Amino acid sequence: LALSASGALAQTYNQITTTDAITSQAFSLITFNTFDELISGTSPIDVGAEIGQSILFTSVPVTRIGATNQDLGDNGLWGARGDIARPSNGNENTLVSTPTGDGNFVASSFITNRGEFGFSFATPVSSVGAFFNQFQQPGTSNNMLDLLAYDASGNVLQSYRFTIDTDPDGYNEGRFLGIQSSSANIYGFGVANGTIAMDNLMITAIPEPSSYALLAIGALILGAAGRRRRIQDRRFPFQT
C-alpha cells in the first residue's frame, strides 16, 4: 500500500500480459471488423461505435484501420482472418478465429521507430489491452514495442516496453499486452515503435476487486490516523 506525500492513496500500475486481467471483469471489445482498409489522416477517427462510446483514433504517421494483411518479417504474417466487409460467399459471417483475434485489424507501417498511434477515451478506463505483433528484421530478436497510458492532459501516467518474438513462418501469432491502473484514470492509450499489427482492443472502466481492497485499506488507515489526532487534541488541547 502506497500513500502520497499528501496522505492520499497513490495510483499503482501493472503491465498486462494475458487476457484474463481484463476478461475476468466486465469489459468492452473493439474488433475493427467494420472498417475496411481505412487510411488514417490528420483528423481523429471515432472507432468506438461498436461499443457505443466515443473513442478517437489518431496516428503519426498514417495507419490502416481495418487492415486485412501485414508482413511482420521474422515474426511471420497476419492475414486470412475473414472479412465481414467483403464476404466471399454471400454470407456476412466469414470471420476466421485466430490466436490474436478475427477479421480486420489495425496495422501501421512506420518507416522509423518514432511513429505512434493511439486511442483517446471520452470516459476514462482502468485497464486497456490488445493483441499485438511487430515487424522484426531477419536474424534479429530485439524489436521493441512501447505502450503508454495518458491522463486527461496528455501526460504519461505509465509506460512499458515489450519484445515480441514469434515464428518466422507463423500466421497470426502475437501477444496480448496492456496497462492496468488501480483506478479509472486512463484517458489515452498509445502504441509506439516500428511496424505494428493490433487487434481486439479491450477496455474496462472499473478497477479489479483487489484494487478496491487497497482503496478500502487506505481509507481505513487514513481514518484511524484522523481519529488518533482528534483523541490527542481532546486530551492535550494546548499542545503544539
Side-chain angles (χ1 to χ4, degrees):
L1 180 66
L3 297 178
S4 67
S6 63
L9 193 66
Q11 300 292 338
T12 59
Y13 298 91
N14 295 295
Q15 57 181 278
I16 295 174
T17 56
T18 68
T19 57
D20 291 344
I22 292 182
T23 58
S24 60
Q25 53 192 312
F27 71 96
S28 299
L29 169 66
I30 299 177
T31 65
F32 306 102
N33 290 342
T34 58
F35 293 91
D36 184 17
E37 295 286 352
L38 176 63
I39 305 298
S40 66
T42 56
S43 300
I45 298 171
D46 196 334
V47 297
E50 190 172 355
I51 61 174
Q53 298 181 25
S54 177
I55 298 178
L56 299 181
F57 177 90
T58 54
S59 177
V60 180
V62 297
T63 293
R64 292 178 294 144
I65 308 175
T68 58
N69 60 84
Q70 183 67 57
D71 178 11
L72 299 169
D74 258 14
N75 273 352
L77 298 168
W78 272 27
R81 304 156 74 93
D83 188 349
I84 64 173
R86 292 178 294 193
S88 58
N89 58 2
N91 180 358
E92 292 188 0
N93 185 16
T94 60
L95 299 179
V96 177
S97 179
T98 79
T100 52
D102 58 31
N104 299 350
F105 52 94
V106 174
S108 74
S109 296
F110 301 150
I111 297 174
T112 71
N113 62 1
R114 292 188 296 273
E116 178 176 345
F117 65 76
F119 304 86
S120 298
F121 309 113
T123 302
V125 303
S126 63
S127 301
V128 53
F131 288 106
F132 291 97
N133 206 333
Q134 185 181 31
F135 183 88
Q136 186 156 264
Q137 293 289 347
T140 66
S141 60
N142 60 348
N143 64 334
M144 295 294 180
L145 174 72
D146 291 335
L147 300 185
L148 306 96
Y150 295 96
D151 67 11
S153 300
N155 301 307
V156 176
L157 296 169
Q158 184 62 277
S159 64
Y160 293 105
R161 174 164 286 184
F162 300 93
T163 295
I164 303 177
D165 187 18
T166 55
D167 190 335
D169 298 320
Y171 220 55
N172 296 309
E173 296 182 356
R175 298 180 62 188
F176 190 87
L177 303 170
I179 299 177
Q180 183 178 66
S181 172
S182 57
S183 68
N185 67 331
I186 299 174
Y187 282 85
F189 180 57
V191 184
N193 290 344
T195 295
I196 302 160
M198 187 200 84
D199 201 8
N200 283 12
L201 181 72
M202 300 183 190
I203 59 174
T204 61
I206 303 174
E208 284 191 313
S210 59
S211 297
Y212 283 123
L214 287 175
L215 290 172
I217 292 171
L220 288 173
I221 291 174
L222 294 175
R227 285 193 295 274
R228 286 195 298 270
R229 283 195 298 269
R230 289 194 295 272
I231 292 172
Q232 185 178 24
D233 290 343
R234 286 197 295 271
R235 288 180 177 176
F236 308 102
F238 303 107
Q239 184 178 14
T240 58

